[in-house]
Amino acid sequence: GAGVSQSPSNKVTEKGKDVELRCDPISGHTALYWYRQSLGQGLEFLIYFQGNSAPDKSGLPSDRFSAERTGGSVSTLTIQRTQQEDSAVYLCASSLEGTVASPLHFGNGTRLTVT
Amino acid sequence: EDQVTQSPEALRLQEGESSSLNCSYTVSGLRGLFWYRQDPGKGPEFLFTLYSAGEEKEKERLKATLTKKESFLHITAPKPEDSATYLCAVRYSGGYNKLIFGAGTRLAVHP
């Protein structure tokens, strides 16, 4: 079956511009996560959605970052006024539930380059 | 501070040369430890979940074990196609919904 789909796969933007990154989770998965992976670094948690519950936004690095999930499916991560330090691979993952027993399935990410 | 540390950062093996990767963690209330494989340009691919000390899981040439402070990923008679970055992650009571990842071990297996 189809896995987690992310678009675009690559995005180059100028400093100060806004960007939107999209994630289509696996059908039927109720939990959705956004992570950021910088070169040589581990994955950094950004935000978590579970069903209709309020999202866990504890990992968002600044108020320039926001995310929404519409209809319990597609999610969009928005970065406003991008900075060079925002350059990274942004990974989306989904799981059947938000429990420990449900492993995360990742997309291939969006590589963001801020010039 | 809650954290996950992986060692070594990089490992080069000859085909057939068995070895182990280490993942040590300092979190309270471990709820699960996860191993993922990541190929260049791809997202991490789930391998194993371990829940309690003494537990072991196997898949082909890979075997994951767990103690109270660390996990090992043993690779037996590796092949070049096992070359990848291996990531360890933990979910713990104080972390609620998120997995904390280590920085990974880059494994290169040469023929």
Side-chain angles (χ1 to χ4, degrees):
Chain A
V4 176
S5 178
Q6 293 188 245
S7 61
S9 56
N10 282 283
K11 177 72 176 178
V12 180
T13 189
E14 292 180 352
K15 177 181 173 181
K17 295 287 181 67
D18 298 352
V19 295
E20 284 190 354
L21 313 180
R22 177 186 170 102
C23 173
D24 280 279
I26 294 172
S27 177
H29 281 195
T30 63
L32 187 147
Y33 306 75
W34 283 97
Y35 278 82
R36 177 167 72 174
Q37 188 173 32
S38 302
L39 192 63
Q41 305 290 318
L43 275 70
E44 175 190 6
F45 169 80
L46 297 177
I47 189 169
Y48 163 79
F49 296 90
Q50 171 58 51
N52 295 320
S53 302
D56 176 356
K57 303 179 182 180
S58 61
L60 294 178
S62 77
D63 59 8
R64 297 186 295 104
F65 289 71
S66 63
E68 63 178 18
R69 188 179 185 190
T70 55
S73 181
V74 171
S75 178
T76 303
L77 177 69
T78 301
I79 308 174
Q80 296 178 313
R81 304 181 302 281
T82 52
Q83 304 294 312
Q84 288 186 332
E85 60 262 29
D86 299 335
S87 296
V89 176
Y90 289 82
L91 291 162
C92 175
S94 68
S95 67
L96 189 59
E97 305 168 337
T99 63
V100 175
S102 298
L104 274 62
H105 299 269
F106 284 86
N108 288 330
T110 294
R111 180 176 298 277
L112 176 65
T113 303
V114 182
T115 61
Chain B
E1 180 185 353
D2 299 314
Q3 64 179 11
V4 178
T5 304
Q6 292 188 245
S7 62
E9 289 186 13
L11 181 62
R12 177 189 170 114
L13 298 174
Q14 290 297 122
E15 184 172 3
E17 178 187 3
S18 302
S19 188
S20 297
L21 314 182
N22 177 264
C23 170
S24 63
Y25 58 92
T26 53
V27 300
S28 56
L30 180 74
R31 298 179 62 204
L33 185 140
F34 306 82
W35 283 98
Y36 284 83
R37 168 191 171 127
Q38 186 173 26
D39 292 296
K42 304 289 187 181
E45 175 188 350
F46 171 73
L47 293 173
F48 304 109
T49 307
L50 300 167
Y51 295 102
S52 57
E55 189 174 359
E56 299 182 350
K57 293 274 180 74
E58 286 190 68
K59 181 180 180 180
E60 296 180 355
R61 295 176 293 282
L62 301 177
K63 179 180 178 180
T65 62
L66 180 65
T67 72
K68 288 187 177 181
K69 293 185 177 181
E70 58 191 348
S71 176
F72 292 93
L73 184 65
H74 308 278
I75 303 177
T76 302
K79 298 182 178 182
E81 53 261 42
D82 295 322
S83 298
T85 296
Y86 290 85
L87 300 170
C88 169
V90 301
R91 184 170 255 175
Y92 62 106
S93 299
Y96 300 100
N97 305 307
K98 59 186 176 184
L99 268 66
I100 295 181
F101 280 83
T105 293
R106 294 189 314 278
L107 174 66
V109 182
H110 296 268

